[in-house]
Amino acid sequence: MTVEVLTSKKGPTISKYIYGQFAEHLGRCIYEGVWVGKDSDIPNNEGIRLDVVEALKAIKVPVVRWPGGCFADEYHWKDGIGTPAERKTIVNTHWGGVVENNHFGTHEFFHLLDLLGAEAYVNGNVGSGTVQEMQEWVEYITFEGESPMSNLRKENGSESAWEMKFFGVGNESWGCGGNMRPEYYADLYRRYQTYVRNYTDKHVYKIACGPNIDDYNWMEQVMKIAAPFMDGISLHHYALTGEWEDKGPATNFPEAQWHSLIDSAKKMDELITKHSTIMDKYDPEKRVGLIVDEWGSWLAVENGTNPGFLYQQNTIRDAMVASVTLNIFHKHADRVQMANIAQMVNVLQAMLLTEGEKMIKTPTYHVFDLYTHHQDAELIDTYGETQESIDYTVSKKDGKVAISVCNYGLQGKETVSFNLPDYSFNSAEAWIVSANEMDAHNTFENPEVVSKKSFEDFKIDGSTVSLTLPAMSVTTLLIKEN
Ligand code: AHR
């Protein structure tokens, strides 16, 4: 089967922000996963663990969303500034009822971003916070001049303001963020966002709370009432094996759940298409971005862990979920301006898992690694049929064409050919993430069971390159023009 690749046709840019991460004060994501404190034996920079920073830098994390999630609508940012020992201790009511000592706050978040070379997506509190509180946070973060909040930031050790690229006005306001109706939220959004000021010439990109999954009425109402006041609107969709109340296990699952999880992930395509059609009514120019700021597999927690911590293993099946979902985002590059996988470390479909001083990279991490070539690349149009289990993206950047192919079949190999008649090449290199078992995963004892390897099983014949792809694999082929 041959896919025709139209390299000479201009396509939209795949925003690098599609490769965004989400880091919430939930379970062991921030505490242990990112923050170990300055006095820890785990190598750290001002309290932030260095192994995690190095691993995330390698996959070019462009943006991190923080502090939630549901946590955001109960977070009062002033609790997390000043001398750490004097910060307020609160209860994280959403996530396990554990103590939150606020040692990781605004300054620590921006220090993490500095270490990663990533940009900020701060999520504000509409559910239980005031307009004044939100306005002051923006002032504290971004205002350089003389003002009460700017002076307070300086007193707390940061002379310079930070750049905050993205700001979310509430999270899941239809649920944990306040149980609102769309009309009510849309009016609140208009009010709160008024005070999210641009204190510099760098525009803060404002994101309204969008729908849960297929709540098309939410999208309709919020766009109708508030579209001119927003730059983006969010969408949340998690891949499940079945019913929400009965989540399947992350490992040792039946074959049916291999398929049901991938099918659930693939629903993202329909959701984006339908939500985008509604957005087109109010924003035909596609100025407003669809921001998928929570996505990924949501599976049963690991045995013996706190159910409120959402700690799950990550297998080659999750690698398939990552690959097909990223391909969907690419396909909708004209509307999807950012996405943030949930979550960065130790929670849901994480990049990294930690245990004390140990850290492992998950299969999902390796897919993000394979896909770095698509960040800010031009999406290349293609046509042609492929086998049922094949899903792919082709993009071009700096003269190089990257082809990423997922084979989510469970048995046998599939050969897929790509014909690039308008592109002159005679060599390529490729890497693969694959496994022999459908729940293959990395553990602290065996951290390299699933990893990125060099891939040689491809042939170039004139303008066609053919790849023979094993079952349960994700491959990226990088071709350089002659
Ligand atoms: O990612 C976990 C939770 O899922 C987030 O806090 C919330 O926004 C969503 O329901």
Side-chain angles (χ1 to χ4, degrees), residues 22 24 26 69-70 95 171-172 236 238 294 298 310 342-343 348:
F22 172 32
E24 180 166 9
L26 192 178
C70 295
W95 303 120
N171 168 72
E172 297 197 348
H236 291 180
Y238 285 96
E294 289 188 29
W298 193 322
L310 310 185
Q343 298 193 2
L348 299 176

Side-chain angles (χ1 to χ4, degrees), residues 399-414:
K400 290 181 186 161
V401 169
I403 302 177
S404 292
V405 197
C406 174
N407 178 8
Y408 55 82
L410 282 166
Q411 273 108 35
K413 294 188 176 188
E414 300 288 1

Side-chain angles (χ1 to χ4, degrees), residues 26-281:
L26 192 178
R28 298 187 302 113
C29 182
I30 293 294
Y31 299 106
E32 291 189 38
V34 171
W35 176 260
V36 287
K38 296 176 191 174
D39 300 329
S40 172
D41 291 339
I42 298 172
N44 68 83
N45 181 318
E46 298 290 314
I48 294 171
R49 59 187 297 167
L50 284 173
D51 51 355
V52 165
V53 166
E54 285 316 308
L56 294 174
K57 269 171 76 174
I59 55 168
K60 300 186 169 61
V61 169
V63 60
V64 182
R65 176 179 184 234
W66 173 84
C70 295
F71 183 79
D73 280 289
E74 274 196 304
Y75 184 60
H76 300 285
W77 67 272
K78 284 185 184 165
D79 294 350
I81 56 171
T83 309
E86 288 165 19
R87 294 185 193 174
K88 215 184 252 182
T89 293
I90 60 163
V91 179
N92 191 334
T93 46
H94 271 293
W95 303 120
V98 293
V99 168
E100 159 67 58
N101 64 15
N102 278 302
H103 282 194
F104 190 92
T106 304
H107 291 252
E108 292 75 20
F109 174 60
F110 280 93
H111 184 54
L112 168 68
L113 297 180
D114 272 353
L115 296 175
L116 293 176
E119 292 186 271
Y121 173 7
V122 174
N123 211 117
N125 178 349
V126 172
S128 71
T130 63
V131 177
Q132 181 181 0
E133 185 181 5
M134 188 178 282
Q135 181 276 323
E136 288 183 339
W137 202 9
V138 176
E139 181 185 318
Y140 187 90
I141 292 171
T142 62
F143 188 56
E144 283 288 355
E146 181 79 15
S147 82
M149 289 305 112
S150 176
N151 293 347
L152 183 59
R153 184 194 65 242
K154 290 173 192 169
E155 276 167 34
N156 287 330
S158 288
E159 193 56 36
S160 301
W162 297 286
E163 190 183 334
M164 181 177 64
K165 187 141 185 105
F166 302 96
F167 191 84
V169 181
N171 168 72
E172 297 197 348
S173 305
W174 36 262
C176 65
N179 286 307
M180 301 175 206
R181 292 170 304 120
E183 298 83 352
Y184 178 73
Y185 169 75
D187 276 337
L188 266 194
Y189 172 79
R190 288 172 59 131
R191 177 169 168 232
Y192 273 68
Q193 68 76 37
T194 308
Y195 305 94
V196 178
R197 304 271 187 214
N198 289 317
Y199 287 101
T200 70
D201 55 359
K202 301 229 170 69
H203 175 77
V204 177
Y205 183 111
K206 292 184 257 192
I207 301 169
C209 167
N212 190 30
I213 321 172
D214 55 359
D215 185 350
Y216 298 114
N217 182 50
W218 182 280
M219 180 60 91
E220 179 83 41
Q221 299 309 325
V222 176
M223 283 300 288
K224 193 198 299 180
I225 297 167
F229 302 93
M230 65 178 79
D231 300 296
I233 184 163
S234 65
L235 167 66
H236 291 180
H237 168 58
Y238 285 96
L240 304 173
T241 55
E243 295 306 310
W244 174 255
E245 300 74 26
D246 183 24
K247 299 194 180 71
T251 55
N252 203 12
F253 47 81
E255 195 173 308
Q257 290 187 8
W258 169 274
H259 299 292
S260 60
L261 189 73
I262 295 170
D263 286 349
S264 175
K266 285 168 81 180
K267 191 170 178 220
M268 186 70 86
D269 192 17
E270 177 191 321
L271 295 173
I272 296 176
T273 304
K274 291 189 174 166
H275 283 300
S276 202
T277 304
I278 297 168
M279 292 173 75
D280 286 346
K281 269 168 69 181

